[in-house]
Amino acid sequence: MNKNRKMVIIFLFAFVLCFSLVGCTLQDRIEEYSSGKEQCHLNTENVTRFSYKGNDYTILADTVSNGGLGEWIGYIRQLAAIDKNGKILLQENVESSTSQSLADLAEKAPEAAYIIPFLNVYAAPNADDYLIVDVNGGYHKAVISENVKDSDTVFDFKKREESINDSFEVNPENATQLLWGGTVYQVTSDMVSDDELGSHIDILAESVTFDTETKIPLSKEDLSKIDWYGKNAGQGRESWFYTDVYEIYGTDKAKAVAVNVNDNYYIAKRQ
């Protein structure tokens, strides 16, 4: 299991989780996870480039697996709204983001053709001629721009990363369930430890607030309404923060998987 990956995804939701922790502030959590890491910056004229310690790097199409990451050495953590030519029109810092989804950012930059999430930067485990950057759902190699070869293929920001496995998603009709193709997985109260986790499958990175009785997700409009007359006084609400999905050692993923909800791994069983 890649411990960095779990830590990174949990960080993305720290600003939400901190509200429930006494004395915890957003800055506290940022300092905790970013200590000793280099802040990297995207090239606003070319989204396939970023800087790391004064060097300009070009992101390649080549990717590595979750297990092919070296040390976590830097971070970008930006949602970038870009035009069709790769110019960045708007960036929003993940830590201070008020957007609930990529669609919200798109509304702020209606002329944008693509919204690309950039997360962290890693060293290569057994090489020093490239870095690895987590972008758009894949771990891409990045080389110093002046060392890019004619045979290298640059990262195609127009292409959405396709997982080897079909993507999981939260059931829009029941926030306690996941959908995988045509299969429904019910999240149970049974927990699994880190040692029981197998291969990494997918990242949901989604927060959902739902009615505790119907399990139906509440829209932003529903959440923003002021209940002047107490009509919803008896309505229970619950918020779940979905992050990683993993296989469970010794269990066929077609039968059950482990999903991180609110910083704990629960078994989600096929129905």
Side-chain angles (χ1 to χ4, degrees), residues 9-43:
I9 297 302
I10 291 173
F11 173 85
L12 298 181
F13 297 96
F15 69 97
V16 178
L17 299 178
C18 273
F19 291 137
S20 63
L21 300 177
V22 177
C24 179
T25 66
L26 174 59
Q27 190 59 41
D28 290 336
R29 194 53 61 98
I30 292 175
E31 292 178 358
E32 176 184 352
Y33 285 101
S34 303
S35 178
K37 308 300 186 293
E38 180 78 11
Q39 183 175 6
C40 305
H41 300 279
L42 294 172
N43 184 322

Side-chain angles (χ1 to χ4, degrees), residues 65-236:
S65 66
N66 177 264
L69 302 179
E71 180 186 0
W72 174 27
I73 57 175
Y75 61 92
I76 299 175
R77 300 199 194 109
Q78 296 285 319
L79 297 179
I82 60 178
D83 66 16
K84 62 182 181 180
N85 297 315
K87 180 179 180 179
I88 297 177
L89 304 176
L90 178 67
Q91 293 184 64
E92 190 162 283
N93 191 297
V94 172
E95 292 116 9
S96 59
S97 174
T98 57
S99 293
Q100 298 301 308
S101 67
L102 299 184
D104 290 335
L105 182 59
E107 291 180 2
K108 297 180 181 180
E111 67 277 27
Y114 308 94
I115 305 293
I116 307 294
F118 292 81
L119 297 181
N120 290 310
V121 177
Y122 303 87
N126 299 304
D128 57 8
D129 58 342
Y130 69 92
L131 301 178
I132 301 168
V133 58
D134 188 349
V135 50
N136 209 27
Y139 294 116
H140 287 260
K141 291 183 178 181
V143 298
I144 292 179
S145 295
E146 62 184 26
N147 294 335
V148 175
K149 304 174 184 176
D150 292 339
S151 58
D152 289 330
T153 302
V154 177
F155 164 61
D156 185 357
F157 59 86
K158 301 177 182 179
K159 180 180 178 181
R160 177 69 179 176
E161 289 295 332
E162 297 295 338
S163 174
I164 295 176
N165 307 285
D166 293 335
S167 296
F168 280 77
E169 61 180 342
V170 178
N171 188 343
E173 298 180 355
N174 186 332
T176 69
Q177 295 179 339
L178 299 179
L179 301 179
W180 186 42
T183 305
V184 177
Y185 287 77
Q186 177 64 55
V187 180
T188 70
S189 59
D190 298 328
M191 298 174 63
V192 295
S193 66
D194 288 358
D195 293 337
E196 297 176 275
L197 300 179
S199 300
H200 183 267
I201 300 175
D202 201 2
I203 302 171
L204 291 170
E206 184 172 350
S207 61
V208 183
T209 300
F210 58 92
D211 184 303
T212 54
E213 182 176 350
T214 66
K215 304 297 188 295
I216 297 176
L218 301 173
S219 66
K220 288 186 296 181
E221 183 179 359
D222 291 333
L223 293 172
S224 64
K225 287 179 180 177
I226 299 177
D227 187 12
W228 295 108
Y229 304 103
K231 294 181 179 180
N232 298 320
Q235 181 191 54

